[in-house]
Amino acid sequence: PGFEALRRIAITLENRFASAHSCLFVALLLDTAHSCLAQTIEKESNFLRAGKYFRQNESIVEPSYKVKRNDFLEGYAHSALKISPTLVLFAGRMVGVRAVSPRKTILDVLKVGRGWDESKLNENPNPYIDNLCDRCAFLWGFMSSSEKLPAFVMSMAWDYVISGSFLSLLEGFSRILTCSTEGRALMSMDLVTFSSGTNAFSVMDRIQGSMESVDTPPPAMPQRGKLYVDTYVKVYYYPEEDIMNWIHDNHTSYRLNHSLALITCCVGCRRGWQSRTLVGMKRQVKALYDNILTES
């Protein structure tokens, strides 16, 4: 997209992150209100007990009513505090992924076509990686120059943008069902290039001269980053038994379609798409994920 289109995307990104983090702010307000109310009730109860004209029925009715009211607010505040971090986490992931246009990234990966299956060593990464790095750099530049988000929210937004980019690459790589050893090495090269192309120095170099008052981005440390995707890519080199063991140990961290695609690419290319071994391994993987649904 052009300069103006990226600016609009960055504004949308800012607004969505601000909305997500407002949930935490509301939860904290509820917790503070609950604490203040609890202190007020305690002071009022002590005052009434110590009062000279304190009646016996008031000691039963009035504090009882206030305690019930306080219990309701306490439960509501605790529920809000409990759910807010999870809500912000999932909202951040969705916003970060949408900001980097995952469909375009997946399509760019698929457009490489036979390039993934060629038996030749590649000296350079695919061109779409440079475009993805530019997109992330300018998103950071627009967010930083606007100064609308607090620093800690900006840092989280940057993490989610980088994480969304890596997840988009993972989704694209998982749809490549015929791949050579050299093609797998090209995937790893793309990941390394994107990681280095979005570090602080590279980001500032990419946006230099295009906008002013841009702060240096913090080191991105997403939970699902380069290592998360590169590990998936390199499982291709494992023997069949080790592939199944890896899927068994990591199936809660990757989606079903990722695991099935990994088996299809690794085993299908070696034994054929209709081999009994491949069919049997797919059944085992589906049963593994079905157990997750049953247990939950």
Side-chain angles (χ1 to χ4, degrees):
F3 192 83
E4 184 61 26
L6 280 175
R7 188 184 68 83
R8 292 195 298 267
I9 293 172
I11 292 174
T12 303
L13 182 64
E14 284 181 330
N15 293 337
R16 288 173 175 171
F17 266 102
S19 299
H21 281 79
S22 66
C23 297
L24 285 177
F25 180 71
V26 171
L28 290 173
L29 283 179
L30 285 171
D31 186 57
T32 303
H34 161 252
S35 299
C36 293
L37 182 59
Q39 293 176 7
T40 302
I41 290 176
E42 183 179 0
K43 290 179 180 179
E44 289 181 356
S45 299
N46 292 337
F47 176 77
L48 291 172
R49 289 193 183 95
K52 183 176 180 180
Y53 302 104
F54 178 66
R55 296 189 301 272
Q56 182 66 28
N57 63 325
E58 288 180 338
S59 66
I60 298 175
V61 178
E62 189 170 359
S64 175
Y65 165 73
K66 290 183 177 180
V67 168
K68 289 181 180 179
R69 180 180 63 180
N70 185 46
D71 287 345
F72 173 79
L73 181 58
E74 179 181 6
Y76 189 79
H78 286 174
S79 298
L81 283 172
K82 185 177 181 180
I83 194 63
S84 292
T86 303
L87 180 61
V88 171
L89 173 65
F90 284 104
R93 286 180 179 176
M94 288 188 291
V95 171
V97 169
R98 292 186 66 177
V100 297
S101 186
R103 291 183 179 180
K104 182 180 185 307
T105 301
I106 294 170
L107 185 60
D108 287 340
V109 172
L110 295 177
K111 282 181 178 179
V112 177
R114 297 294 299 177
W116 298 117
D117 200 28
E118 292 179 346
S119 298
K120 69 173 185 179
L121 291 174
N122 295 273
E123 297 181 357
N124 300 304
N126 287 301
Y128 66 80
I129 290 296
D130 192 56
N131 295 332
L132 186 57
C133 290
D134 282 342
R135 186 185 186 94
C136 293
F138 278 94
L139 285 175
W140 169 262
F142 283 120
M143 288 193 298
S144 178
S145 59
S146 71
E147 299 181 345
K148 292 181 179 179
L149 295 177
F152 80 96
V153 178
M154 282 281 295
S155 179
M156 292 182 65
W158 181 238
D159 275 354
Y160 285 126
V161 166
I162 299 301
S163 176
S165 301
F166 277 115
L167 291 177
S168 299
L169 290 172
L170 171 63
E171 191 64 34
F173 293 160
S174 69
R175 300 189 185 192
I176 304 300
L177 300 182
T178 55
C179 186
S180 63
T181 300
E182 292 79 6
R184 223 62 180 180
L186 179 58
M187 291 180 182
S188 293
M189 185 187 298
D190 285 352
L191 293 173
V192 171
T193 304
F194 175 74
S195 181
S196 62
T198 51
N199 62 32
F201 176 81
S202 296
V203 168
M204 298 304 291
D205 184 60
R206 287 175 183 274
I207 62 180
Q208 185 178 11
S210 299
M211 55 187 69
E212 299 178 353
S213 302
V214 177
D215 295 328
T216 303
M221 295 180 291
Q223 293 181 346
R224 299 183 176 185
K226 181 173 77 71
L227 181 61
Y228 175 78
V229 184
D230 197 40
T231 300
Y232 176 87
V233 169
K234 290 179 177 176
V235 173
Y236 172 86
Y237 303 111
Y238 291 6
E240 294 172 7
E241 183 178 352
D242 291 340
I243 292 175
M244 285 301 300
N245 290 336
W246 182 88
I247 291 176
H248 184 274
D249 294 338
N250 297 275
H251 67 282
T252 56
S253 300
Y254 295 85
R255 292 166 52 187
L256 172 60
N257 66 301
H258 295 156
S259 296
L260 290 177
L262 187 62
I263 291 176
T264 302
C265 183
C266 298
V267 181
C269 291
R270 300 170 188 172
R271 293 178 175 267
W273 306 111
Q274 302 300 325
S275 68
R276 292 183 178 180
T277 301
L278 177 59
V279 174
M281 292 175 72
K282 284 185 174 181
R283 288 176 180 171
Q284 293 180 46
V285 171
K286 289 180 180 179
L288 195 61
Y289 282 85
D290 288 340
N291 289 337
I292 297 178
L293 297 176
T294 303
E295 292 173 358
S296 59

